[in-house]
Amino acid sequence: MSHHNRSEGHCCSGGPGYATLRDAMRGPREKIVYVTCIYACENGVAPKPDVLATVDVDPGSETYTQIIHSLPMPNKGDELHHSGWNACSSCHGDVSRRRDKLILPSLKSTRVYVIDTGTNERAPSIFKVVEGEEIKKKTGLASLHTSHCLANGNVMISAMGDTEGNGKGGFVLLDGKDFQVLGHWEKDGEEAPFGYDFWYQPRHNVMVSSEWGAPNAYLKGFDPKDVEEGLYGHSLNVWDWKERKVIQKIDLGEGGKIPLELRFLHNPDQNQGYVGVSLSSNVFRFFKEDGCWKAENVIDIPDKEVENWALPTMPSLITDILISLDDKFLYLTNWLHGDVRQYDITDPSHPKLTGQVHVGGSLLQGGPVKLKSGEKQPEPVILKGRTIRGGPQMIQLSLDGKRLYATTSLFSVWDKQFYPDMVNEGSVMVQIDVDTDKGGMSLNKDFLVDFGKMPDGPALAHEVRYPGGDCSSDIWV
């Protein structure tokens, strides 16, 4: 049995993170969150460095919903995106480890910023910068995305490209203490054609990774022709965890274009999980059966026939998914259609829709896009006098599953393409209250974090992390 230390950052006495899922769900309520914020390029040049914002989410605080600290990076044009920890529940038994460094990989520059959150949790500082050129030279990889801490104490970061911007799905390894570049994780020549997200399950000797596309394609904005020309992925890559090589490729086909966020069930005994497929607007369950890994389409969100948009049909564009720590609910965001959904997955092959909340999107009443079907279009969402631009994108769930946070920025180049008003006004973070018993969700009308009011001007808020860990960065082994 683990004993909780109720400070914000150090949750248990046995090492970083939590011994069990049940311990995690009983963990302290989040009081602050860290959010990566990006400044979009103007004429190809970033006007200001990206920042890590600290946001007060404690309802009892005088600075509730305010940005209480802003840490600028020392360079411009990094495109901070996702983040991870130096240590998490995968190395809970190691009392010498602490979850006190936040890892910030960069999509554009390939730099990695190591942020010290342990010295001053509410005002973190830069601990180390690992230059992109060093990473490229030592690994042959670039365009970094997902960061996970490993049970052996090291940090692993997925890459999406080679040094020339072509697709290349490999993994960078950093030492978990001094953050030196150790090289690439996969055996020589074993990289996948594309990279994006990944999740490992050592009890099954497996890791699964997903595919976005070639940096040379997505960095210039979304063009459907690039999909036709094979510059975006449509497969899951199944890796032998010990041998560090791809043992199976699951082609998701025409209905599986651009698989992004990937989550195993949290229970480490389970050999199944889900991946959100962005362009095809569906969710696949992947699982092992008769010694072989397979995938089935279990959630499908139809495209909308529209007028006055870039294409005659609009995909929902599923851009993030999450699974609650008890493996009961799956959440997803439809960035273009503008809604957040909750599904009961207690029957994993047959998810049941139990909640839906609209948070912006491209189909709002009074907007330029019209639905050909004539169905009623959602009303604009106004919180604290602020009209929300953009759609729900990244989500993070509280440990107890009762609060879901959503930000609205996807990727600055694509933000400009699909939601230029959001780029000009800045993005927001909202909070959705969750019924964890019967299912259901409702937008908290008293919660809004406005990143349009950042000290250096409107910013684009992306991923959310808690100091004490969360359901998309902790892995149990």
Side-chain angles (χ1 to χ4, degrees):
M1 181 179 292
S2 60
H3 301 280
H4 300 304
N5 177 339
R6 290 290 174 174
S7 69
E8 287 178 6
H10 315 300
C11 306
C12 300
S13 58
Y18 299 90
T20 68
L21 287 160
R22 182 170 292 182
D23 284 343
M25 292 191 71
R26 292 172 177 168
R29 176 175 174 145
E30 66 284 356
K31 293 184 178 179
I32 60 171
V33 298
Y34 302 123
V35 185
T36 50
C37 298
I38 296 89
Y39 285 96
C41 288
E42 299 171 2
N43 300 318
V45 179
K48 288 156 188 166
D50 297 339
V51 302
L52 181 69
T54 306
V55 180
D56 187 335
V57 294
D58 180 3
S61 170
E62 292 182 356
T63 52
Y64 180 52
T65 71
Q66 294 181 27
I67 299 162
I68 58 174
H69 185 262
S70 179
L71 175 66
M73 301 301 110
N75 303 281
K76 296 179 181 179
D78 289 308
E79 189 86 28
L80 298 181
H81 201 63
H82 285 211
S83 57
W85 291 102
N86 65 317
C88 67
S89 295
S90 66
C91 50
H92 172 77
D94 186 349
V95 295
S96 70
R97 312 291 301 183
R98 290 181 63 203
R99 190 195 321 248
D100 58 2
K101 304 290 189 306
L102 187 62
I103 313 300
L104 302 181
S106 304
L107 273 186
K108 289 183 179 177
S109 69
T110 309
R111 286 189 188 92
V112 175
Y113 295 103
V114 181
I115 307 301
D116 177 2
T117 62
T119 302
N120 187 343
E121 198 168 70
R122 298 174 73 85
S125 58
I126 294 175
F127 178 78
K128 182 174 182 175
V129 180
V130 185
E131 289 295 340
E133 292 309 309
E134 179 187 1
I135 292 171
K136 292 176 183 179
K137 184 177 180 180
K138 290 184 177 179
T139 67
L141 298 168
S143 303
L144 304 184
H145 191 267
T146 299
S147 175
H148 274 304
C149 45
L150 305 184
N152 64 8
N154 290 333
V155 172
M156 188 159 134
I157 306 172
S158 62
M160 294 182 287
D162 63 15
T163 57
E164 302 300 318
N166 304 302
K168 187 177 183 180
F171 303 88
V172 174
L173 278 178
L174 302 181
D175 183 280
K177 291 185 177 178
D178 61 15
F179 304 100
Q180 293 292 321
V181 181
L182 299 177
H184 55 79
W185 172 83
E186 69 283 356
K187 284 186 176 177
D188 289 341
E190 290 290 338
E191 65 275 349
F194 301 104
Y196 187 77
D197 199 13
F198 71 102
W199 195 286
Y200 62 89
Q201 288 287 54
R203 292 188 190 182
H204 301 282
N205 188 35
V206 70
M207 180 180 82
V208 180
S209 65
S210 59
E211 302 181 336
W212 187 5
N216 286 335
Y218 66 70
L219 283 172
K220 67 182 191 223
F222 180 69
D223 186 342
K225 292 180 181 177
D226 290 336
V227 178
E228 297 170 12
E229 293 177 8
L231 296 179
Y232 284 93
H234 49 81
S235 299
L236 296 180
N237 298 291
V238 182
W239 301 74
D240 184 299
W241 182 240
K242 293 177 182 175
E243 295 296 322
R244 304 186 180 193
K245 62 181 183 180
V246 175
I247 54 172
Q248 194 179 333
K249 193 174 187 69
I250 304 174
D251 189 340
L252 302 178
E254 280 298 305
K257 294 178 180 176
I258 314 184
L260 295 182
E261 305 299 335
L262 180 151
R263 318 285 184 216
F264 264 94
L265 293 181
H266 294 287
N267 181 346
D269 287 330
Q270 289 285 341
N271 60 357
Q272 60 181 320
Y274 299 87
V275 62
V277 182
S278 180
L279 188 60
S280 299
S281 303
N282 46 27
V283 175
F284 278 79
R285 180 178 81 100
F286 56 88
F287 56 98
K288 191 174 185 180
E289 186 178 78
D290 299 327
C292 182
W293 288 88
K294 303 175 182 178
E296 61 177 356
N297 186 351
V298 293
I299 298 172
D300 192 56
I301 299 174
D303 293 354
K304 303 278 191 182
E305 291 192 17
V306 293
E307 296 176 345
N308 208 23
W309 196 63
L311 298 170
T313 59
M314 179 189 289
S316 76
L317 213 73
I318 297 173
T319 51
D320 197 12
I321 67 169
L322 276 185
I323 297 174
S324 60
L325 284 173
D326 58 5
D327 292 333
K328 181 178 180 180
F329 292 112
L330 179 146
Y331 298 87
L332 64 81
T333 54
N334 292 312
W335 192 56
L336 290 179
H337 288 184
D339 59 311
V340 180
R341 297 191 182 197
Q342 176 198 54
Y343 289 84
D344 185 319
I345 54 170
T346 49
D347 179 354
S349 292
H350 302 92
K352 178 184 175 183
L353 181 64
T354 48
Q356 184 177 17
V357 172
H358 280 275
V359 186
S362 294
L363 297 171
L364 301 176
Q365 292 180 26
V369 181
K370 305 298 179 188
L371 286 171
K372 281 189 175 180
S373 63
E375 67 181 286
K376 186 178 180 181
Q377 298 184 221
E379 296 180 3
V381 176
I382 302 173
L383 292 177
K384 294 187 174 182
R386 170 79 142 89
T387 301
I388 295 179
R389 313 292 184 189
Q393 208 285 108
M394 291 304 295
I395 44 177
Q396 191 56 266
L397 187 67
S398 61
L399 294 174
D400 62 7
K402 295 181 183 300
R403 293 167 301 284
L404 187 73
Y405 298 90
T407 56
T408 51
S409 167
L410 170 62
F411 169 53
S412 65
V413 179
W414 291 26
D415 290 350
K416 276 189 171 184
Q417 187 175 356
F418 293 102
Y419 292 116
D421 288 345
M422 179 181 67
V423 176
N424 294 331
E425 297 179 19
S427 63
V428 300
M429 179 167 71
V430 301
Q431 186 188 91
I432 297 167
D433 295 324
V434 178
D435 184 332
T436 56
D437 296 323
K438 299 177 182 178
M441 303 187 297
S442 61
L443 191 62
N444 184 339
K445 300 294 180 63
D446 297 321
F447 186 101
L448 179 76
V449 181
D450 188 351
F451 293 91
K453 296 180 179 178
M454 292 285 284
D456 287 329
L460 300 169
H462 195 65
E463 195 179 48
V464 177
R465 288 277 179 233
Y466 309 138
D470 49 66
C471 63
S472 58
S473 64
D474 274 279
I475 293 176
W476 281 264
V477 298

